[in-house]
Amino acid sequence: MAQCVQSVQEFIQDSFVPLVAALCSEEAERLTRRNNLSFAELVRPFCRLTSEVHMRDPNNQLHIIKNLKIAVNNIITHPPQPGAIRKLLHDVVSVSQPAEGLVANVITAGDYDLNISATTPWFESYRECFLQSMPASDHEFLNHYVACMLVVSSSESDPVEQFLKLSQEQHRIQHSSEYSYPKWFIPNTLKYYVLLHDVSTGEEQRADSIYEEMKQRYGTQGCYLLKINSRVCNRGADEQIPDPWSQYLQKNTIQNQDSYEDYTVSNKSTDQLISDGTDSEIKDGLSNYFKTHPLQLDHPSGSLDSTDYMKASTSLQDSKKSNSGTPHGACLTLTDHDRIRQFIQEFTFRGLLPHIEKTIRQLNDQLISRKGLSRSLFFATKKWFSGSKVPEKSINELKNTSGLLYPPEAPELQIRKMADLCFLVQHYELAYSCYHTAKKDFLNDQAMLYAAGALEMAAVSAFLQPGAPRPYPAHYMETAIQTYRDICKNMVLAERCVLLSAEILKSQSKYSEAAALLIRLTSEDSDLRSALLLEQAAHCFINMKSPMVRKFAFHMILAGHRFSKAGQKKHALRCYCQAMQVYKGKGWSLAEDHINFTIGRQSFTLRQLDNAVSAFRHILINDSKQPPAQQGAFLREYLYVYKSATQLSPDGPLPQLPLPYINSSATRVFFGHDRRPAEGEKQAATHVSLDQEYDSESSQQWKELEEQVVSVINKGTIPSNFQPTQFCLNRYSDNSKFPLAVIEEPITVEVSFRNPLKVPLLLTDLSLLWKFQPKDFSAKHDGETKEQGTCDEDMVGTEAIEEFLINSEETKVARLKLFPHQTGELHILGVVYNLGSVQGAVPLDGIDPSIGLQTGKFVSNGLSVRGRQDLEIQGPRLNNTKEEKTSIKYGPDRRLDPIITEEMPLLEVFFINFPTGLLCGEIRKAYVEFVNVSKCPLTALKVVSKHPEFFTFGGNTAVLTPLSPSASENCSAYKTVVTDPTSVRTALLSSASSADFGIGTGGSPEVIQVPLPDAVLLPGASVQLPMWLRGPDEEGVHEINFLFYYESIKKHSKMCHRVLRHTAVICTSRSLHVRATVCRSNALGDEEGRGDNMLLFVDVENINTSETGVKEFHIVQVSSNSKHWKLQKSVNISGDKDTKLASRERAKLCFKAVRCKNLEENYTFADIVFGNEQIISSASPCADFFFQSLSSEFKRTHVQSHAHASQRAVKQSLDETVRLIQRCSEVDLNIVVLWKAYVVEDSKQLILEGQHHVALNTVGKEAFSFPQKQELPETVLLKFFRPENTPVPARPTPEQLSNLIKTSLHYPESFNHSFHQKSLCLVPVTLLLSNCSQAVVDVMIDLRHKPTSSEALEIHGSFTWLGQTQYKLQLKGQEVYSLQLKACFVHTGVYNLGTPRVFAKLVDQVTLFETSQQNSMPALIIINNI
């Protein structure tokens, strides 16, 4: 139980006090009414004695009475009605509420910290009022009147006569059979005569003379002169006199019977109501309780929770207000207060207590005489009870004889009367003895009502005995309660027992027994009593040594439910709120839902709308496990309450709605128009859309492309204020800077909603909430910040979604648009919408109700509230500095705060006839359409891609070459001319500069200028340009990114440029594989007399698997491109004009290449045609793709060489020397193989064209059309080593040195000589020496070399050189030197003349580089004899 203001002893003593009746004349009543008080009310604050009182017991022992209190009441001649008692108790509880701002008691139990009210004043008020309003009963005398005050005014004409009338009236009330109420203790009731004198108006001498006459008539012990009203009412209004009456008058007593109506709702008789003592229900209502859930909030109409109670509560509060506004005791001074206090003391000392003492003695004597005993009962009972005790019978064995009545003079009742008198004057030991005696007598007679009363008071007397000679007999109380409740059917007396016993058990810290006792008396007959007892039981559980928190909460819920049924809404709400502390956040979701729902209902009833909204909000935002129907009911209740709350303040700010959930971090913001769909052969640039998933790798590639083009525009540097263009912002993008948006272009915000409920939610009129501050960035003038309103559409247009349905437990995104019409700073705050539920929109099996949603298809149930939800996005956690790493700090996320910039051009790009599949190396012609859809012109249009070799817009020479008729017929992508049949196999020459194709201009090869006419695209204008595409050399699926860059003619401070993205997906299949090698020709002279030529071998293989429908490939032309070399002619044995290759076939082609004259820096193109049409390889698109592949090849080798740049630590002279020697083996020759493929597709034959490139760099080293894949070993051991700087070798390799000098022997293949005529045969031999390098070379020739191997001697005969056998020459760069030698033979045979050793070294170098020049082929000569 909760803590009480009084101790248990004080509570019990104040519950049972001597009752004194007051009977006043009309004049006396008029005197007291001048103070707005009746006589009984006038003396009530002074009825507690401030000093000890002494009296003697029947054994003449002195007995001390402490803190005695008496009760003075007006005589009421009819018993109180149960309905009035119920109303009184209801009102007492209703007006007693927890004080505002009262600090609750914090109880810590395990994981719980509970704020619980330590005291329950409403329970104490109920208990006090309940005990005071109990009707008098015949089986006990505690609430019978002991004495009667007769009060007459001194201003009466004949006060003595008036006293006589009052005395007769009292005698008639007590002894006449006409009146059965009130009850009197003994027939000879003490009469005390009080003369009331008004000091302010009456004559004091007359009053004194009357008082003297009274003393002579009634004795000094039986009368009193009370002087009051010493103060004039209208004087000294400012003087403050204490008002001790207000606290008593607020507790309306049952004696004010006339002010109450009968609230009986039953049709039982008055006697039945008195005997039951309960507030009964309509039978139908009682039966309904068992048909519904015990915790159901709604109650039947016949229950106590009716409008009458609400009216009664209101009327009581009104009366309280009137009472509190009316001054009491206005005519009384503090002296008058002391006079009244003195009067009560005199009455008690001189009248009441002597009368009680005398009555006790008389009763004791009567009992002794009747029992025939010689001693007093006081000693006799000790003897009786000290001996053997008769075992008490069990209650169950006793017959139901509660109807047995004793006559008033019965000895058993005299014992009970004596016991009650002793109890009232605190003589508990004697009272206990009498109760115990009476109890045995009653049990013997089986008078169960009397026995229960004796047991009850015996238990209380035993507890109150000073010194506690015996323990508290709790079993007495249990027996009494069971008897009252089960046998006597008197719940009022049972309730009194429980209240007394529970308080006693609480004082002994027996909280468990007290709680069980309180719970046992809860029943369906009185909701108010059950609620109060359950609440006290809950406090018992929490006040235990080991608090039982969950039991506390459970019984608080039960108490709250019963409070609600009793119409005590505030107390019900308080109980549920206290219990909520236990259930909240512990996983008891269903219990939590029930509590929140009830709190919401009760708060709404009490017009606490904020609390109601909060409670319903909790139901909806928790992951509810309720069935769909229940969730739908919760949602409807919430909407109804919310709507009521918003109607109270329609002009207030929009409330925050709890549903649906918004995943703020998943919010995406898209700047710009939606992408146009493809139209026929026209395909719009893919650009960026909200339908694309974010790819960090792709995003980084786009950023690098943009940086690359910006760097080229700004001559190699990126501006410090550069901000990469981000079209779509999400949780992965860099949102640390304010994004830029363009005026008049939409901003789309994608908001992710989640419906946690199992019922659909319907959002209507859904739009964005924003704040805008206009700014003119050119004038630097800030405007006034504007929030969204009705007239702001001229600043920012807002698009609303009329209906947005979210199905049960569905996550769905809504795309909301804003249209900025002014420049400035925009802040997107959140979303605003009407939240409602759909009527009957339960999804059918397999059918989504949101499919085909149309306006008006889903009918709202009429309940919807307008509110908002804010979009609050937390930025990324900072983790850069030490401070940020050691603390939790988050950076800004500005994706919802765009800056609206000035007008910018807007480009749209369309691709026409753009292929999706190509052969490797295939050339295809498409068209690109550029459209300016804005209102300002654009310029500086460029495109950048990581794969510039994939496409070209054509070089500057593209328009110079006319199309041949057959090329236009076959829709060829190449520029072709008809060839002369005589020129077959011979090279057709042309030249071109790399600058014509954008290569070698110093810019980045990836950044390509788009050749717009006049370099400007006007507003609304469009232009179509041809674009040639070449399939990548590697098969597979290729994603090729195009970034189109453009600027406005006007320069802006915020946005300098714009970009447009396009990703082309091309699937390539295998076509041809080309390998080529080049070697030096042994022939030193050619037709032109020059001594430098090479042989080129080209190996072509068809690696197509014919799955793509390719029948065969035709090699139609082989072209060379070089600054130093050119193809001269084809050395082809076959007579066919072209080479046909079916699947998996190969062909080898041989060509002769000669050095060409170096004219400026142009490339020489040599075309060897196998058909009858020459493809101009120096024109677009052939040359474009050649130069782009050349630049990509150069870039690849440059990256590799750049990795070794830090390793070059050798002397400069050695580097130059090595470079000169290396150049001898290098060759700068590029081969382009042009082909046609015949494809059968849909019974039609198509001709595809293409080209492959092979870059030849080194003599004798094989080159490929695309790099070969190197197979990695399966397992590689990890090696940890420190990289060392390996310098570039200063010595040239033998292979490089052997290529310095090219040698050739010229001699007759067969020589006839007559050995008979001359034994020695001399043959002239010419040794040609060619310097392959550009440097001056020292050459040494040694003819003394002999083959050492015996095998060589066996195959070839031995011969000797005649003449000078060693030569030392110096050859200038590219010089050819002829040396005449003579070989001497002695007999016929086959001889190898390739024996001279040639040594070479660079001039001014040491012999460190000298090495032999080996001839690659044997020079055989046949010597014949004639």
Side-chain angles (χ1 to χ4, degrees):
M1 296 177 70
Q3 299 175 10
C4 296
V5 177
Q6 292 178 309
S7 68
V8 59
Q9 286 83 4
E10 292 172 343
F11 158 63
I12 297 176
Q13 287 174 6
D14 286 356
S15 300
F16 302 100
V17 295
L19 290 184
V20 178
L23 196 59
C24 303
S25 68
E26 292 182 7
E27 186 64 23
E29 195 67 31
R30 185 186 63 79
L31 289 183
T32 58
R33 283 296 170 194
R34 291 182 61 191
N35 297 288
N36 296 312
L37 297 168
S38 67
F39 179 78
E41 291 170 346
L42 178 71
V43 300
R44 187 168 298 154
F46 310 102
C47 283
R48 186 181 297 278
L49 301 187
T50 56
S51 59
E52 293 182 355
V53 189
H54 296 238
M55 65 174 286
R56 293 192 177 271
D57 60 22
N59 204 31
N60 212 27
Q61 297 293 320
L62 191 64
H63 173 62
I64 300 173
I65 305 172
K66 298 179 181 179
N67 205 24
L68 179 65
K69 179 185 176 183
I70 64 172
V72 179
N73 295 325
N74 293 326
I75 291 181
I76 297 174
T77 56
H78 52 273
Q81 296 298 320
I85 295 176
R86 280 200 305 275
K87 178 184 179 299
L88 174 68
L89 295 177
H90 181 278
D91 292 346
V92 164
V93 174
S94 180
V95 299
S96 179
Q97 298 292 337
E100 293 291 335
L102 182 68
V103 179
N105 191 26
V106 178
I107 295 177
T108 302
D111 298 336
Y112 301 93
D113 289 326
L114 307 178
N115 290 324
I116 299 172
S117 175
T119 60
T120 51
W122 49 90
F123 172 70
E124 294 180 51
S125 299
Y126 169 86
R127 191 174 59 182
E128 179 183 353
C129 184
F130 170 79
L131 292 173
Q132 287 181 358
S133 61
M134 285 188 66
S137 174
D138 289 333
H139 78 285
E140 63 181 13
F141 304 94
L142 291 167
N143 47 5
H144 290 201
Y145 286 110
V146 181
C148 180
M149 291 182 182
L150 305 177
V151 185
V152 173
S153 172
S154 62
S155 60
E156 302 258 5
S157 58
D158 189 355
V160 177
E161 180 67 22
Q162 195 65 35
F163 275 125
L164 186 59
K165 288 182 180 178
L166 291 178
S167 177
Q168 291 173 352
E169 177 71 15
Q170 187 277 332
H171 186 272
R172 187 171 63 86
I173 291 173
Q174 179 175 356
H175 297 288
S176 170
S177 59
E178 182 182 349
Y179 299 100
S180 62
Y181 201 86
K183 305 288 184 181
W184 302 89
F185 216 101
I186 53 176
N188 186 19
T189 301
L190 170 67
K191 295 185 178 68
Y192 196 76
Y193 301 90
V194 180
L195 183 65
L196 202 60
H197 176 63
D198 190 330
V199 177
S200 61
T201 59
E203 298 178 10
E204 192 166 348
Q205 288 182 355
R206 184 170 185 269
D208 290 339
S209 64
I210 296 172
Y211 179 56
E212 288 298 326
E213 184 181 352
M214 288 170 59
K215 283 195 288 186
Q216 292 177 3
R217 183 183 291 267
Y218 307 118
T220 56
Q221 309 291 333
C223 60
Y224 193 84
L225 171 63
L226 178 59
K227 299 179 180 180
I228 60 170
N229 296 350
S230 301
R231 185 163 167 260
V232 180
C233 294
N234 56 3
R235 187 197 58 178
D238 296 334
E239 186 181 352
Q240 294 294 327
I241 298 292
D243 180 7
W245 294 274
S246 57
Q247 57 178 324
Y248 294 95
L249 294 179
Q250 285 179 9
K251 302 172 184 176
N252 287 288
T253 57
I254 202 67
Q255 279 72 21
N256 300 329
Q257 186 69 28
D258 298 335
S259 63
Y260 294 98
E261 295 177 7
D262 188 359
Y263 275 76
T264 309
V265 292
S266 172
N267 54 2
K268 291 184 182 180
S269 67
T270 304
D271 295 336
Q272 288 175 318
L273 283 169
I274 294 172
S275 63
D276 285 357
T278 62
D279 39 351
S280 303
E281 313 280 349
I282 295 177
K283 290 186 177 180
D284 292 341
L286 282 172
S287 64
N288 282 337
Y289 283 131
F290 299 100
K291 295 177 185 175
T292 56
H293 190 277
L295 287 181
Q296 183 174 335
L297 189 65
D298 297 325
H299 36 73
S301 59
S303 69
L304 292 177
D305 182 15
S306 61
T307 54
D308 290 338
Y309 269 137
M310 298 306 292
K311 292 176 184 175
S313 176
T314 308
S315 64
L316 179 64
Q317 290 173 1
D318 294 341
S319 64
K320 265 190 65 179
K321 290 177 184 176
S322 62
N323 285 339
S324 61
T326 305
H328 301 107
C331 299
L332 301 177
T333 62
L334 292 178
T335 306
D336 292 334
H337 293 188
D338 293 338
R339 287 172 180 160
I340 299 171
R341 189 177 294 111
Q342 183 65 32
F343 158 66
I344 293 296
Q345 284 199 357
E346 285 292 321
F347 164 71
T348 308
F349 289 172
R350 297 176 179 275
L352 182 63
L353 288 180
H355 175 72
I356 292 176
E357 182 179 339
K358 176 183 172 186
T359 306
I360 291 174
R361 285 179 182 276
Q362 289 176 354
L363 290 171
N364 187 45
D365 293 342
Q366 288 178 14
L367 291 172
I368 291 173
S369 63
R370 287 184 182 179
K371 294 288 185 182
L373 299 176
S374 59
R375 299 183 187 180
S376 70
L377 182 65
F378 181 68
F379 291 108
T381 51
K382 281 187 178 180
K383 178 182 176 183
W384 292 340
F385 300 131
S386 62
S388 61
K389 298 183 178 180
V390 179
E392 297 175 8
K393 295 181 182 180
S394 170
I395 282 295
N396 297 326
E397 298 175 7
L398 299 174
K399 293 184 293 182
N400 183 6
T401 56
S402 59
L404 177 65
L405 294 176
Y406 287 101
E409 63 278 359
E412 292 84 359
L413 286 188
Q414 301 306 315
I415 297 176
R416 173 63 200 251
K417 191 177 292 186
M418 178 179 170
D420 286 345
L421 271 179
C422 293
F423 187 89
L424 291 176
V425 294
Q426 302 176 12
H427 203 318
Y428 299 117
E429 187 174 356
L430 182 56
Y432 175 76
S433 300
C434 294
Y435 285 131
H436 204 283
T437 304
K439 180 251 311 183
K440 295 187 70 173
D441 292 342
F442 293 142
L443 284 176
N444 288 333
D445 296 338
Q446 293 194 359
M448 301 312 301
L449 179 63
Y450 296 89
L455 283 168
E456 175 188 4
M457 297 313 297
V460 175
S461 301
F463 171 73
L464 291 177
Q465 283 185 34
R470 55 179 61 84
Y472 169 62
H475 59 288
Y476 279 14
M477 274 293 191
E478 291 178 8
T479 306
I481 294 169
Q482 192 173 353
T483 305
Y484 282 142
R485 187 185 63 191
D486 298 338
I487 298 177
C488 305
K489 306 297 183 186
N490 193 322
M491 293 299 292
V492 174
L493 295 174
E495 183 177 353
R496 185 181 70 182
C497 273
V498 167
L499 294 176
L500 296 173
S501 183
E503 194 65 34
I504 293 170
L505 292 172
K506 183 192 81 170
S507 70
Q508 297 176 341
S509 297
K510 296 179 179 179
Y511 289 105
S512 180
E513 292 87 341
L517 199 63
L518 292 164
I519 295 170
R520 199 182 308 158
L521 202 66
T522 58
S523 59
E524 292 297 330
D525 58 350
S526 173
D527 290 315
L528 182 62
R529 181 188 71 232
S530 299
L532 289 164
L533 297 185
L534 284 168
E535 183 183 16
Q536 293 306 308
H539 279 279
C540 287
F541 288 124
I542 204 68
N543 286 322
M544 287 183 179
K545 191 174 182 181
S546 297
M548 304 175 78
V549 181
R550 288 194 294 274
K551 276 200 171 187
F552 161 78
F554 180 70
H555 286 85
M556 270 296 185
I557 294 293
L558 296 176
H561 176 63
R562 299 304 288 270
F563 270 130
S564 177
K565 290 176 67 177
Q568 301 282 348
K569 303 296 183 185
K570 289 184 178 179
H571 288 294
L573 179 60
R574 177 184 48 76
C575 288
Y576 275 100
C577 289
Q578 289 195 359
M580 189 62 186
Q581 299 177 83
V582 176
Y583 288 103
K584 189 175 184 180
K586 299 294 182 182
W588 299 67
S589 60
L590 296 178
E592 207 171 332
D593 287 349
H594 168 76
I595 296 170
N596 273 317
F597 182 72
T598 310
I599 289 175
R601 273 276 188 94
Q602 300 289 6
S603 300
F604 180 73
T605 307
L606 296 169
R607 308 309 293 166
Q608 299 175 10
L609 297 182
D610 290 342
N611 292 342
V613 167
S614 175
F616 281 113
R617 181 189 182 97
H618 278 98
I619 298 178
L620 298 176
I621 63 175
N622 289 336
D623 290 333
S624 176
K625 295 181 175 60
Q626 300 282 1
Q630 190 65 51
Q631 286 188 357
F634 286 162
L635 179 61
R636 288 190 297 274
E637 289 269 356
Y638 169 75
L639 294 174
Y640 179 75
V641 171
Y642 221 128
K643 196 161 191 175
S644 303
T646 52
Q647 284 173 354
L648 291 180
S649 56
D651 299 330
L654 280 175
Q656 293 280 346
L657 293 175
L659 289 175
Y661 290 175
I662 292 181
N663 185 0
S664 292
S665 63
T667 302
R668 297 195 296 167
V669 184
F670 177 71
F671 301 100
H673 295 278
D674 294 334
R675 175 182 167 237
R676 288 194 189 180
E679 300 173 2
E681 293 298 321
K682 241 185 183 184
Q683 178 190 352
T686 56
H687 196 45
V688 182
S689 74
L690 285 168
D691 298 324
Q692 298 169 355
E693 291 293 329
Y694 178 81
D695 182 6
S696 59
E697 187 177 347
S698 171
S699 178
Q700 182 63 24
Q701 288 179 7
W702 289 115
K703 181 183 176 185
E704 290 172 0
L705 287 175
E706 187 173 358
E707 288 177 348
Q708 194 170 1
V709 68
V710 170
S711 174
V712 169
I713 295 293
N714 291 277
K715 299 177 182 177
T717 60
I718 297 178
S720 59
N721 62 345
F722 169 71
Q723 186 174 342
T725 304
Q726 296 188 99
F727 295 98
C728 185
L729 301 178
N730 51 38
R731 70 174 80 182
Y732 306 109
S733 55
D734 180 12
N735 305 323
S736 58
K737 296 180 180 178
F738 292 100
L740 300 177
V742 180
I743 189 171
E744 301 299 344
E745 292 188 16
I747 300 171
T748 306
V749 180
E750 182 184 89
V751 184
S752 176
F753 293 102
R754 181 171 75 86
N755 179 8
L757 303 181
K758 299 183 180 72
V759 293
L761 295 176
L762 181 63
L763 310 186
T764 56
D765 197 13
L766 171 64
S767 60
L768 289 171
L769 199 62
W770 48 264
K771 184 171 66 175
F772 183 71
Q773 183 178 7
K775 278 191 177 182
D776 188 349
F777 295 108
S778 57
K780 294 187 177 179
H781 172 71
D782 295 351
E784 185 182 350
T785 303
K786 300 283 184 183
E787 292 212 16
Q788 180 176 0
T790 55
C791 58
D792 297 333
E793 290 296 321
D794 56 339
M795 286 188 180
V796 179
T798 307
E799 183 183 85
I801 298 177
E802 288 188 9
E803 286 186 341
F804 186 75
L805 181 77
I806 313 175
N807 282 321
S808 61
E809 299 178 331
E810 180 188 17
T811 299
K812 191 174 180 182
V813 296
R815 292 177 182 173
L816 304 164
K817 290 186 178 181
L818 294 177
F819 299 91
H821 304 311
Q822 289 188 23
T823 59
E825 296 177 357
L826 178 64
H827 303 281
I828 299 169
L829 306 176
V831 290
V832 58
Y833 55 92
N834 296 321
L835 174 63
S837 59
V838 178
Q839 195 167 18
V842 179
L844 301 176
D845 293 339
I847 300 175
D848 186 355
S850 62
I851 295 175
L853 178 63
Q854 298 174 353
T855 304
K857 179 172 181 179
F858 289 96
V859 181
S860 172
N861 57 9
L863 283 176
S864 67
V865 292
R866 187 153 188 83
R868 63 184 284 179
Q869 279 202 65
D870 293 337
L871 291 172
E872 297 174 351
I873 304 175
Q874 188 180 64
R877 183 175 174 181
L878 301 177
N879 200 26
N880 298 323
T881 65
K882 182 179 179 182
E883 182 186 356
E884 291 170 354
K885 290 178 180 178
T886 54
S887 60
I888 300 178
K889 289 187 176 180
Y890 294 93
D893 191 302
R894 309 191 192 278
R895 73 181 96 160
L896 296 176
D897 303 316
I899 294 175
I900 313 300
T901 66
E902 300 96 330
E903 193 174 32
M904 286 288 288
L906 183 61
L907 176 70
E908 285 191 355
V909 178
F910 299 94
F911 296 87
I912 303 164
N913 297 327
F914 199 88
T916 56
L918 291 172
L919 293 173
C920 292
E922 180 188 346
I923 306 292
R924 190 78 65 89
K925 187 176 183 180
Y927 289 90
V928 186
E929 184 178 5
F930 298 97
V931 184
N932 184 358
V933 296
S934 66
K935 296 181 181 178
C936 54
L938 65 86
T939 185
L941 179 57
K942 292 176 174 54
V943 60
V944 59
S945 175
K946 293 284 186 186
H947 302 278
E949 68 276 6
F950 170 68
F951 67 97
T952 179
F953 289 101
N956 295 340
T957 61
V959 295
L960 303 179
T961 311
L963 282 171
S964 66
S966 61
S968 59
E969 286 173 13
N970 296 329
C971 301
S972 172
Y974 291 112
K975 301 291 170 84
T976 60
V977 293
V978 179
T979 57
D980 188 358
T982 59
S983 66
V984 175
R985 314 291 186 207
T986 308
L988 303 170
L989 301 179
S990 59
S991 67
S993 169
S994 61
D996 294 336
F997 299 92
I999 307 297
T1001 58
S1004 172
E1006 288 91 348
V1007 180
I1008 298 168
Q1009 180 81 32
V1010 178
L1012 286 177
D1014 303 325
V1016 173
L1017 195 59
L1018 297 174
S1022 65
V1023 62
Q1024 269 194 19
L1025 296 176
M1027 173 190 267
W1028 288 271
L1029 309 171
R1030 179 177 179 271
D1033 288 319
E1034 194 172 352
E1035 69 166 331
V1037 178
H1038 303 269
E1039 278 195 1
I1040 298 166
N1041 294 333
F1042 297 88
L1043 186 74
F1044 294 93
Y1045 169 99
Y1046 56 98
E1047 299 175 0
S1048 173
I1049 291 182
K1050 283 173 33 180
K1051 298 297 180 186
H1052 298 310
S1053 59
K1054 289 289 181 185
M1055 188 177 285
C1056 302
H1057 67 273
R1058 301 193 82 177
V1059 294
L1060 176 68
R1061 300 175 183 177
H1062 175 64
T1063 300
V1065 180
I1066 301 292
C1067 181
T1068 56
S1069 50
R1070 291 190 289 185
S1071 56
L1072 297 180
H1073 182 221
V1074 182
R1075 292 182 288 182
T1077 54
V1078 66
C1079 58
R1080 297 193 186 279
S1081 171
N1082 282 327
L1084 289 181
D1086 55 11
E1087 291 81 352
E1088 300 176 4
R1090 301 196 63 223
D1092 208 0
N1093 52 32
M1094 292 186 299
L1095 290 176
L1096 175 65
F1097 298 93
V1098 179
D1099 191 348
V1100 184
E1101 180 184 2
N1102 178 3
I1103 58 173
N1104 187 271
T1105 54
S1106 73
E1107 293 174 358
T1108 53
V1110 179
K1111 252 169 65 177
E1112 58 186 8
F1113 285 87
H1114 288 213
I1115 310 300
V1116 296
Q1117 183 174 314
V1118 176
S1119 301
S1120 68
N1121 332 69
S1122 176
K1123 291 182 179 181
H1124 310 294
W1125 298 90
K1126 64 182 178 182
L1127 291 182
Q1128 191 182 47
K1129 62 181 179 180
S1130 169
V1131 187
N1132 197 353
I1133 310 302
S1134 172
D1136 293 339
K1137 285 188 176 182
D1138 57 0
T1139 304
K1140 299 178 181 178
L1141 294 175
S1143 179
R1144 309 309 296 181
E1145 288 186 344
R1146 297 175 69 168
K1148 194 154 193 170
L1149 308 175
C1150 181
F1151 304 93
K1152 182 178 180 180
V1154 296
R1155 191 179 289 275
C1156 59
K1157 295 178 182 178
N1158 201 355
L1159 299 174
E1160 300 172 353
E1161 281 294 319
N1162 285 3
Y1163 280 77
T1164 299
F1165 288 76
D1167 302 334
I1168 294 181
V1169 183
F1170 294 108
N1172 54 7
E1173 282 187 344
Q1174 177 198 0
I1175 297 172
I1176 311 283
S1177 60
S1178 60
S1180 293
C1182 182
D1184 296 271
F1185 290 117
F1186 156 67
F1187 282 118
Q1188 285 171 353
S1189 69
L1190 198 64
S1191 67
S1192 62
E1193 181 70 24
F1194 169 75
K1195 184 180 178 184
R1196 189 161 56 245
T1197 55
H1198 176 68
V1199 168
Q1200 294 172 356
S1201 63
H1202 183 69
H1204 301 287
S1206 62
Q1207 302 173 358
R1208 300 189 182 146
V1210 191
K1211 293 179 182 178
Q1212 188 69 25
S1213 60
L1214 292 180
D1215 285 346
E1216 290 176 357
T1217 304
V1218 172
R1219 189 74 194 115
L1220 285 171
I1221 296 173
Q1222 285 174 345
R1223 280 180 188 163
C1224 298
S1225 59
E1226 288 180 357
V1227 57
D1228 178 20
L1229 180 60
N1230 303 286
I1231 303 299
V1232 180
V1233 178
L1234 296 107
W1235 49 264
K1236 288 187 178 180
Y1238 292 85
V1239 180
V1240 178
E1241 186 178 292
D1242 297 334
S1243 303
K1244 295 179 183 177
Q1245 179 167 306
L1246 303 176
I1247 300 175
L1248 307 180
E1249 302 167 301
Q1251 64 189 55
H1252 280 79
H1253 312 115
V1254 181
L1256 292 159
N1257 297 319
T1258 309
V1259 175
K1261 186 176 180 181
E1262 193 172 34
F1264 303 91
S1265 57
F1266 64 91
Q1268 297 294 302
K1269 290 183 179 177
Q1270 294 182 354
E1271 292 187 1
L1272 295 172
E1274 291 184 0
T1275 56
V1276 180
L1277 291 175
L1278 287 174
K1279 292 184 180 179
F1280 299 94
F1281 62 92
R1282 187 177 179 181
E1284 298 179 359
N1285 290 334
T1286 308
V1288 177
R1291 291 176 66 108
T1293 60
E1295 291 80 10
Q1296 293 170 341
L1297 290 172
S1298 65
N1299 291 327
L1300 267 178
I1301 301 296
K1302 183 179 175 184
T1303 61
S1304 179
L1305 289 169
H1306 285 233
Y1307 56 90
E1309 292 183 3
S1310 175
F1311 192 81
N1312 298 324
H1313 179 69
S1314 176
F1315 286 96
H1316 300 294
Q1317 297 177 3
K1318 195 175 183 178
S1319 60
L1320 290 177
C1321 175
L1322 297 176
V1323 178
V1325 177
T1326 303
L1327 176 63
L1328 286 178
L1329 299 169
S1330 174
N1331 183 0
C1332 295
S1333 70
Q1334 301 290 335
V1336 180
V1337 179
D1338 287 341
V1339 181
M1340 184 186 292
I1341 300 118
D1342 185 4
L1343 303 178
R1344 298 172 298 173
H1345 175 63
K1346 301 290 185 184
T1348 55
S1349 64
S1350 58
E1351 183 183 353
L1353 291 174
E1354 288 174 6
I1355 296 174
H1356 313 299
S1358 179
F1359 72 98
T1360 185
W1361 296 99
L1362 292 181
Q1364 187 177 345
T1365 57
Q1366 272 192 333
Y1367 298 89
K1368 189 172 183 180
L1369 307 172
Q1370 192 175 66
L1371 299 182
K1372 295 178 181 178
Q1374 302 293 333
E1375 183 183 353
V1376 179
Y1377 185 81
S1378 177
L1379 185 64
Q1380 301 298 324
L1381 305 176
K1382 286 185 180 180
C1384 179
F1385 303 91
V1386 293
H1387 53 77
T1388 61
V1390 178
Y1391 297 91
N1392 182 10
L1393 297 178
T1395 60
R1397 295 180 66 191
V1398 180
F1399 299 88
K1401 72 178 183 67
L1402 298 178
V1403 177
D1404 301 331
Q1405 294 294 330
V1406 293
T1407 57
L1408 179 64
F1409 300 128
E1410 186 174 4
T1411 184
S1412 172
Q1413 299 291 323
Q1414 299 295 331
N1415 203 348
S1416 58
M1417 296 175 65
L1420 300 179
I1421 187 171
I1422 303 172
I1423 304 297
N1424 298 319
N1425 187 16
I1426 300 175

